[in-house]
């Protein structure tokens, strides 16, 4: 199993399998780690806290000929397919438009086949990276994918890339193989990269996407302001800013819906690190930072109470909208 930064990780519920190995880049740790060749691996949980990795497609397979392993791509999956949007051709390529990968790759988890999607890619025709894509199962015949934030590879005069504003998100309908841009309303978060998202269906028929943390490529004290929590509520596509005191800025983390109204955040690098203005690498400066206030880098956020909890609740009841989400829909219907 290859050791990769920002790897793809897809779950196929029908087979109870995890897939990984396609997207990502060589690890930042170890003794001169090298990038392993493309391959695909599956993990089968054994139901007792363990399991086994198996190679599904080896690095010599001709299936890889038309494909390029992407770094920093936007990744999400539905019941049967995983989708990999954009990315770059190298870990440092996200600062230059020429290194962005256009298009999207589909992996069918039932047939274990890869396809380069021919669907035109919304406004970032030259690629996108370091944003997020969230699968929304409750709208459309096969659900919808909502892509947001990050940086685009559009051709800027100086060759550099630009941050993508959250005032517009991009929606993909897998049933129609169509993208469109969707204007949002409300208090959109400031443009950023390496944030995380997680989504939950509410008991009122809405779907709320939680957007947390990230940075705007500037480390140190200016990064603290990106320790924010925002909610994009569908079908209104309206942003709601959660009252929250910025304290623990981080980037490169993951967010995961883990039952009821609970979202589990995992890891992340400190963006307010003390070595931000030195020649020390951003990874080394993370280890030179103060201890993570989240025990073992884990935190539970409750989407109903809009607060961090000190423990995980097993068999939690279904997610109910928070008061501020209820208030928005109540006012919009008047």
């Amino acid at each position: 199993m290859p050791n990769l930064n920002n790897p793809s990780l897809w779950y196929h519920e029908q087979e109870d399998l995890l897939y990984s190995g396609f997207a990502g880049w060589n690890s930042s740790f170890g003794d001169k780690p090298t990038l392993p060749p493309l391959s695909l691996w599956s993990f089968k949980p054994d139901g007792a806290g363990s399991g086994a990795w198996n190679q599904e497609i080896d690095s010599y397979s001709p299936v890889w000929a038309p494909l390029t392993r992407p770094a920093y791509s936007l990744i999400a999956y539905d019941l049967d397919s995983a989708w990999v949007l954009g990315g770059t051709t190298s870990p440092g390529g996200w600062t230059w438009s020429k290194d962005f990968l256009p298009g999207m790759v589909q992996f069918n988890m039932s047939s274990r086949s890869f396809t380069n999607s021919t669907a035109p890619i919304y406004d970032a025709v030259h690629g996108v990276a370091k944003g997020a894509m969230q699968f929304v199962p409750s709208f459309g015949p096969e659900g919808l994918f909502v892509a947001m934030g990050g940086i685009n590879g559009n051709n800027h005069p100086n060759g550099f890339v630009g941050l993508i504003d959250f005032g517009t998100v991009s929606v993909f309908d897998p049933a129609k193989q169509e993208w469109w841009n969707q204007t949002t309303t409300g208090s959109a978060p400031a443009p950023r990269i390496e944030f995380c998202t997680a989504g939950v269906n509410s008991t009122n028929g809405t779907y709320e996407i939680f957007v947390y943390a990230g940075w705007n490529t500037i480390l140190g004290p200016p990064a603290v302001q990106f320790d924010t929590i925002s909610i994009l509520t569908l079908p209104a596509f309206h942003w709601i800013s959660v009252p929250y005191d910025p304290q623990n800025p981080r980037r490169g983390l993951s967010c995961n819906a883990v039952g009821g109204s609970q979202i589990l955040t995992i890891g992340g690098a400190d963006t307010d690190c003390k070595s931000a203005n030195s020649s020390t690498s951003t990874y080394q400066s993370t280890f030179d930072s103060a201890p993570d206030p989240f025990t073992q880098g884990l935190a539970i956020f409750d989407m109903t109470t809009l607060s961090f909890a000190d423990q995980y609740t097993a068999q939690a009841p279904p997610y109910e909208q928070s008061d501020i989400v209820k208030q928005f829909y109540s006012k919009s219907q008047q």
Side-chain angles (χ1 to χ4, degrees), residues 126-137:
H126 297 286
V128 62
K130 292 200 171 191
M133 186 162 61
Q134 181 69 40
F135 176 57
V136 180

Side-chain angles (χ1 to χ4, degrees), residues 116-230:
N116 277 308
S117 173
T118 57
I121 306 298
Y122 62 104
D123 62 341
V125 294
H126 297 286
V128 62
K130 292 200 171 191
M133 186 162 61
Q134 181 69 40
F135 176 57
V136 180
S138 48
F139 296 98
E142 296 179 14
L144 299 173
F145 290 87
V146 180
M148 64 183 75
I151 48 181
N152 62 41
N154 293 341
N155 289 321
H156 297 274
N158 58 7
F160 290 100
V161 299
L163 295 172
I164 298 174
D165 193 275
F166 284 88
T168 298
V169 297
S170 298
V171 182
F172 176 65
D173 183 343
K176 297 180 179 179
Q177 292 283 296
E178 291 179 354
W179 280 96
W180 70 88
N181 285 337
Q182 176 68 51
T183 300
T184 64
T185 60
S187 303
R192 64 192 64 196
I193 61 174
E194 294 188 293
F195 56 95
C196 68
T197 67
V200 186
N201 282 308
S202 81
T203 54
N204 286 352
T206 63
Y207 190 90
E208 272 72 68
I209 300 176
F210 165 98
V211 176
Y212 175 50
W215 64 318
N216 70 341
T217 75
I218 299 175
L219 294 173
V224 175
Q225 64 182 308
F226 290 91
D227 180 20
T228 62
I229 299 171
S230 298

Side-chain angles (χ1 to χ4, degrees), residues 58-308:
D58 65 35
S59 59
Y60 300 102
S61 172
V63 72
W64 306 122
L67 300 171
T68 299
R69 170 178 276 148
Y72 307 127
S73 50
L74 283 59
I75 301 172
Y77 60 89
D78 55 32
L79 292 177
D80 198 53
S81 288
W83 301 84
V84 181
L85 173 62
T88 66
T89 57
S90 69
W94 61 273
T95 57
W96 294 96
S97 57
K98 64 181 179 62
D99 294 320
F100 276 64
L101 289 168
M104 183 166 61
V105 174
Q106 177 187 6
F107 172 63
N108 185 296
M109 291 184 278
S110 293
S111 63
R112 294 180 175 81
S113 60
F114 286 89
T115 306
N116 277 308
S117 173
T118 57
I121 306 298
Y122 62 104
D123 62 341
V125 294
H126 297 286
V128 62
K130 292 200 171 191
M133 186 162 61
Q134 181 69 40
F135 176 57
V136 180
S138 48
F139 296 98
E142 296 179 14
L144 299 173
F145 290 87
V146 180
M148 64 183 75
I151 48 181
N152 62 41
N154 293 341
N155 289 321
H156 297 274
N158 58 7
F160 290 100
V161 299
L163 295 172
I164 298 174
D165 193 275
F166 284 88
T168 298
V169 297
S170 298
V171 182
F172 176 65
D173 183 343
K176 297 180 179 179
Q177 292 283 296
E178 291 179 354
W179 280 96
W180 70 88
N181 285 337
Q182 176 68 51
T183 300
T184 64
T185 60
S187 303
R192 64 192 64 196
I193 61 174
E194 294 188 293
F195 56 95
C196 68
T197 67
V200 186
N201 282 308
S202 81
T203 54
N204 286 352
T206 63
Y207 190 90
E208 272 72 68
I209 300 176
F210 165 98
V211 176
Y212 175 50
W215 64 318
N216 70 341
T217 75
I218 299 175
L219 294 173
V224 175
Q225 64 182 308
F226 290 91
D227 180 20
T228 62
I229 299 171
S230 298
I231 298 169
L232 181 65
T233 179
L234 277 60
F237 284 95
H238 182 81
W239 286 105
I240 297 172
S241 180
V242 175
Y244 174 73
D245 183 24
Q247 301 178 62
N248 306 306
R250 61 190 63 221
R251 63 183 178 87
L253 69 164
S254 71
C255 295
N256 312 271
V258 290
S261 61
Q262 300 172 109
I263 290 174
L264 171 67
T265 72
I266 303 176
D270 182 10
T271 51
D272 189 26
C273 48
K274 65 181 181 181
S275 301
N277 297 318
S278 72
S279 59
T280 305
S281 75
T282 56
Y283 289 100
Q284 182 60 49
S285 62
T286 296
F287 292 111
D288 292 338
S289 300
D292 192 337
F294 296 159
T295 303
Q296 296 184 332
L298 306 177
I300 293 287
F301 185 81
D302 190 296
M303 286 280 286
T304 298
T305 64
L306 301 182
S307 61
F308 281 98

